[in-house]
Amino acid sequence: MRKHVLRKSSLLLLAFTLMLSLAACGGSSGGDTKAAEPENKNEPAPEAKTVSADEPGWKADTSPITFDWYLNFSWFANKWGVDPTSQYVTKKTGVSVNFIVPAGNENEKLNTMIASGSLPDFITLGWWEDAVKTMIEGDLVLPLNKLAEEYDPYFIKVADPAKMAWYKQEDGNTYVYPNSSSSPKDFEKYSREYVSNQTFLVRKDMYEALGKPDMRTPEGFLNALKMAKEKFPEVDGQPMIPLGLTEFNDVGNGSLEGYLQNFLAIPYEKDGKLYDRQTDPEYVRWLKTLRQANEQGLLAKDIFIDKRPQMEEKIAQGRYFAMIYQRSDLTAQENALYAKDPNSVYIAVDGPANTKMDPPTLAGPGISGWTVTLISKNVKDKARAIRFLEYLISEEGQKDLYLGEKGVTYDTIDGKDQFKPEALELLNKDRSAFDKKYGASLTFWMMQDTNMILQWQPPSVEPFKQMEDWTKGKTKSFSQYDNINPTGNSEEGIASNKIAQTWGKTLPKLLLSKSDEEFDKLWNEFLEKRDKAGFAKVEAFKQAKFEDNVKKLQEFLK
């Protein structure tokens, strides 16, 4: 899902420093090009078939090979090869995948791998992660364009030139490829079908029992939470939680930053200059509203400590009354609630708004996408790696991973390739069971092209259709504001990291403050620390990157 937050950690700086020191001592393959090259025994066998720009390169060699693929998402639980879809892909391409997922803190796991210089074959993480730049600057990953030139010219034919150009580095190379990415031309073509993931949700039966209260104003919002707590103190014997949010981390909380700011329609820029959304009066007003909510006992302690697994469990139990949350992340839980009682599901309604009651401006698909995937310099087979990536982003690969194998998961019905009735029924009824039984429909989402798969997607059904429909007409493209935050160990990157860490510590304190006066004191202290850390330099950097982005996007539309 798309996020406009900095996910940075001082550990990355330590990791980068350690990596360089190891390279200098000759103790790490990560810092030495020759040392990072696979041994000859791991290089591709002599080709039985030649590759060309006119034929998919993956077809040249379909002998068995297994790639290690790191996903920087601890919640990912699916395994390759246990379902018919991934088995079908392996049978066709010869490629098996061993997913590596961190058991705990993602940053710690990734930083450790970076510091050691021993990365697995493929790495997938959020485009905003500081580690992306660290791996590129540390010479730990391979340029996709050069791999394509040497081993698979067909890759250039299936790769989107706008996406490749968007992620091109100063050295002229592109090291990452995004998923869920939409170029400006994509947005022009598909914008009417686009929906946002950003929603304000309420539990349907509770909301209706309260008379569908207006929650757009601070007063209405607080009153609704209060009524819900009084009328529904417990859910199946457990305390009801008035408001749910995404998890707090070391740099803040996504629900209370980009999501809330978009609900309030706070602009990203004014007259061509980036606007400081964080200090907007409307935003501060709503942070103070949440402080009042806590003062009135309407913010459960759970929300400050729960991680995604705990939140998913509580969503499945229907314990939240309202949530500022991403709708796609509660699919399985929504299905479970719907099966139990259709009236107990979560629905999207109008939530926090600015004083003018402007409609929200929700983040739609952008060119940066959601995650990016890189190929490690330690990859066991360069040719097979770039060719497998080519297959995955091609229309053939997209269809295979979305629809699965013909006759098993889908068939041509009424002249259209679509899921078989029994598969579609399970998809709509129990997403987790569908993943295990079929493994299709974005079970393996690493390289998903959300525009290409529109041709095979079935119409949305309840309980998901209502949430999607609510976002239509409110969805905007914010591509020009992506990738503008400084990263790495540059002066601006260090300053930005320090500011983000300071905000991560300040935000919960603001909500837990005892009075508006204490809130103001904490707020002013944060602004002072922000300025001392180098906020002006960070903003100047972002402004320059923003202006570059605008020029790039204009070029893509020609």
Side-chain angles (χ1 to χ4, degrees), residues 102 163 229 447 504 533 551:
K163 296 170 188 177
K229 185 176 182 181
M447 304 312 304
K551 292 176 184 177

Side-chain angles (χ1 to χ4, degrees), residues 108-391:
E108 288 181 5
K109 172 71 173 177
L110 185 55
N111 293 339
T112 300
M113 291 193 300
I114 290 174
S116 68
S118 57
L119 293 170
D121 303 303
F122 290 87
I123 308 99
T124 294
L125 69 168
W127 63 258
W128 59 89
E129 299 281 0
D130 209 20
V132 175
K133 187 172 184 180
T134 302
M135 287 186 285
I136 293 172
E137 290 182 345
D139 200 27
L140 294 174
V141 290
L142 296 169
L144 303 183
N145 52 299
K146 288 191 175 181
L147 285 175
E149 289 172 9
E150 186 170 358
Y151 300 108
D152 186 13
Y154 193 79
F155 177 88
I156 302 301
K157 180 171 286 189
V158 298
D160 188 318
K163 296 170 188 177
M164 292 289 286
W166 181 254
Y167 279 107
K168 183 183 292 186
Q169 301 296 303
E170 291 181 2
D171 64 2
N173 295 318
T174 300
Y175 296 82
V176 311
Y177 201 85
N179 74 355
S180 302
S181 169
S182 292
S183 68
K185 286 188 176 179
D186 289 331
F187 213 93
E188 281 188 345
K189 182 177 181 180
Y190 300 108
S191 60
R192 290 186 179 181
E193 300 178 67
Y194 283 158
V195 293
S196 178
N197 204 27
Q198 300 179 337
T199 46
F200 179 71
L201 305 171
V202 292
R203 185 167 147 166
K204 185 175 183 291
D205 50 3
M206 293 182 182
Y207 183 68
E208 291 176 348
L210 298 177
K212 299 182 179 179
D214 187 340
M215 301 182 71
R216 293 177 297 169
T217 66
E219 298 76 20
F221 181 84
L222 290 172
N223 186 51
L225 295 185
K226 182 180 179 182
M227 288 193 300
K229 185 176 182 181
E230 291 173 351
K231 191 173 182 65
F232 306 102
E234 292 186 344
V235 176
D236 293 334
Q238 300 185 79
M240 190 273 289
I241 303 171
L243 180 66
L245 307 168
T246 54
E247 64 184 74
F248 281 82
N249 54 50
D250 59 350
V251 294
N253 182 291
S255 292
L256 300 181
E257 292 157 23
Y259 277 38
L260 180 56
Q261 290 163 0
N262 287 350
F263 290 147
L264 303 179
I266 298 174
Y268 279 87
E269 63 176 285
K270 290 186 177 181
D271 300 321
K273 297 294 182 183
L274 288 177
Y275 178 63
D276 184 7
R277 303 178 94 204
Q278 199 168 38
T279 57
D280 185 271
E282 300 278 5
Y283 180 56
V284 176
R285 172 175 173 246
W286 272 93
L287 286 183
K288 285 189 172 182
T289 299
L290 291 166
R291 187 210 69 77
Q292 286 180 263
N294 182 67
E295 187 178 28
Q296 296 175 21
L298 302 173
L299 294 188
K301 295 298 183 283
D302 307 52
I303 68 174
F304 294 99
I305 58 175
D306 281 352
K307 298 301 181 184
R308 179 159 165 166
Q310 290 77 42
M311 294 162 59
E312 288 180 345
E313 181 180 358
K314 290 169 182 176
I315 293 171
Q317 295 167 346
R319 288 181 60 191
Y320 297 103
F321 164 62
M323 288 189 289
I324 299 175
Y325 208 67
Q326 53 273 20
R327 59 174 179 79
S328 64
D329 283 3
L330 47 79
T331 302
Q333 296 75 31
E334 186 85 337
N335 262 330
L337 290 170
Y338 191 72
K340 182 179 179 181
D341 179 2
N343 286 317
S344 70
V345 299
Y346 288 95
I347 59 171
V349 299
D350 293 336
N354 61 33
T355 50
K356 295 179 180 178
M357 293 295 162
D358 292 324
T361 53
L362 306 177
I367 194 168
S368 293
W370 168 32
T371 70
V372 292
T373 293
L374 308 89
I375 296 177
S376 165
K377 211 160 192 180
N378 296 326
V379 66
K380 59 177 61 74
D381 190 320
K382 295 177 184 177
R384 295 293 297 278
I386 190 66
R387 292 170 189 171
F388 187 54
L389 193 64
E390 169 247 295
Y391 162 76

Side-chain angles (χ1 to χ4, degrees), residues 76-96:
F76 184 79
N78 293 307
K79 303 292 183 183
W80 187 274
V82 299
D83 60 86
T85 296
S86 58
Q87 290 169 0
Y88 172 61
V89 171
T90 295
K91 183 173 131 183
K92 175 186 275 195
T93 66
V95 177
S96 296

